Amino acid sequence: MSTFFKIIRWPNVLLTILTQLVIVYGLLIPSLVVPALNWWQLLLLLSATGLLTASGNVINDIYDVAIDQINKPEKLLVTESISETSAYNLYFVLTILAVICGFVLANSLDKPILSSVFVGVAFVLYLYASSLKSMLLVGNLVISILVALVILITGVFELFPVITEASQPVFKFLMERLLEFSLMAFLINVVREWVKDCEDVNGDKAGGRNTLAIALGRTRAARFIAFFILGILILLGWFVYEYIYLNDIITYYFIFLIMGPLMFVMIKLWSAQTQKEFHILSTVLKVVLLFGILSIGIFRINYYLN
């Protein structure tokens, strides 16, 4: 059982589910919007996205065996704790269950076309693990888009089925806010992917992958990432000034829990050299992503309207 939770990367699955719960109960409902999904439909949505996250992690581990033997042999699961055949079977079961949950959900809303979202995500996750991950920048961008898509999918399923002409302005407003959060998640995840590439450069090189750290060299890649983070900080600074600086709580939240750690990572990237140092920075970025998601729950719609 412990192998199962490890191979599906249960913290990532929980983060996916938490993201959607925070959007529903931290943003939509406090904004006096009646979401489209009742409790069992929301459970189907959480199950579909959680299962897809888990299946993506499993297929990723299957294709990463040779690379993980170099980068993190102590954490190697496929071939050590579980056979490749069993891992493939687990991947297929998780994917099929996810698609079934998505199909039932979409049809319960009389929007069967929405089930194609889950089929498409499952297909992209397989492509990512099998080929896209090895392409320079492509894999980083694709997986970051999928992370951002978790936020947008929640808004689409909760708002789109019940949209009317009268509610269209409010729903449009909420989707714009979710788009802002998804952009933040996309940018932070791109940075984390690049930092992880710096951490795993030895295994990636042996596995024939072409990452930013391999193309530029680890040191130059780290400094490029630092400049990219500076751009994110400028964007976040504008966002805080434009929308939320009048609210002390959310302003301090962004400064100390999101912008501050990003600045720490930016500074440390100029001197980081070892795999351990990049691993620490990657972990910090994961925490920043978590705080970014939780910030949706701290927000209330009146922060924008004040």
Side-chain angles (χ1 to χ4, degrees):
M1 185 59 71
S2 63
T3 300
F4 169 77
F5 284 109
K6 287 178 182 178
I7 198 170
I8 68 170
R9 300 290 189 272
W10 66 267
N12 293 346
V13 176
L14 284 182
L15 184 60
T16 299
I17 294 172
L18 176 65
T19 300
Q20 297 180 298
L21 289 175
V22 167
I23 290 170
V24 175
Y25 293 103
L27 179 64
L28 300 184
I29 291 177
S31 301
L32 303 181
V33 168
V34 180
L37 306 185
N38 58 36
W39 70 267
W40 65 267
Q41 290 171 320
L42 178 59
L43 183 60
L44 283 174
L45 177 62
L46 297 175
S47 298
T49 51
L51 288 166
L52 280 176
T53 302
S55 69
N57 289 327
V58 173
I59 194 64
N60 202 52
D61 267 14
I62 292 171
Y63 277 96
D64 276 358
V65 169
I67 292 172
D68 287 345
Q69 285 174 337
I70 298 173
N71 286 332
K72 43 188 177 181
E74 74 286 353
K75 295 183 179 179
L76 186 64
L77 295 174
V78 180
T79 70
E80 292 293 330
S81 300
I82 183 174
S83 68
E84 188 172 313
T85 300
S86 297
Y88 265 117
N89 290 337
L90 177 60
Y91 162 72
F92 286 124
V93 169
L94 292 171
T95 302
I96 291 169
L97 287 176
V99 172
I100 290 174
C101 288
F103 179 80
V104 173
L105 172 60
N107 281 274
S108 72
L109 296 170
D110 293 323
K111 305 288 183 183
I113 188 64
L114 290 178
S115 62
S116 62
V117 171
F118 303 100
V119 177
V121 169
F123 180 66
V124 172
L125 282 170
Y126 180 82
L127 281 182
Y128 168 76
S130 61
S131 59
L132 298 180
K133 192 174 183 179
S134 299
M135 299 180 185
L136 179 63
L137 299 182
V138 174
N140 305 133
L141 296 177
V142 167
I143 199 64
S144 299
I145 289 172
L146 292 178
V147 168
L149 198 59
V150 171
I151 297 173
L152 295 180
I153 284 176
T154 309
V156 168
F157 273 89
E158 288 286 21
L159 300 177
F160 177 65
V162 292
I163 192 169
T164 64
E165 188 173 346
S167 63
Q168 187 174 352
V170 175
F171 286 4
K172 178 176 178 290
F173 182 79
L174 288 170
M175 284 303 298
E176 287 173 350
R177 304 290 76 79
L178 290 177
L179 186 61
E180 290 168 357
F181 283 110
S182 65
L183 176 61
M184 178 173 64
F186 169 78
L187 292 173
I188 294 173
N189 200 75
V190 165
V191 170
R192 183 167 181 265
E193 287 293 314
W194 286 341
V195 171
K196 283 168 59 183
D197 287 343
C198 290
E199 176 189 353
D200 298 337
V201 65
N202 294 329
D204 289 343
K205 190 177 295 184
R209 288 184 175 164
N210 188 17
T211 65
L212 187 70
I214 293 173
L216 297 181
R218 181 185 270 176
T219 300
R220 284 194 294 270
R223 292 177 180 178
F224 170 83
I225 299 168
F227 279 113
F228 191 84
I229 292 176
L230 178 60
I232 296 176
L233 288 170
I234 293 172
L235 183 62
L236 285 174
W238 169 84
F239 179 78
V240 170
Y241 177 78
E242 188 72 17
Y243 291 112
I244 60 178
Y245 78 97
L246 292 177
N247 186 285
D248 291 341
I249 295 176
I250 194 65
T251 299
Y252 292 145
Y253 184 98
F254 263 79
I255 290 174
F256 291 108
L257 297 181
I258 298 177
M259 297 177 69
L262 280 176
M263 189 172 296
F264 168 79
V265 172
M266 180 184 70
I267 293 171
K268 294 297 291 183
L269 280 169
W270 282 90
S271 59
Q273 294 290 333
T274 66
Q275 186 178 29
K276 182 179 179 180
E277 288 175 308
F278 285 109
H279 178 72
I280 292 172
L281 296 181
S282 173
T283 302
V284 172
L285 288 168
K286 192 169 187 176
V287 174
V288 171
L289 185 60
L290 172 63
F291 282 131
I293 290 167
L294 292 177
S295 71
I296 301 173
I298 294 176
F299 264 88
R300 293 294 183 269
I301 215 65
N302 66 295
Y303 289 162
Y304 287 100
L305 299 180
N306 284 341

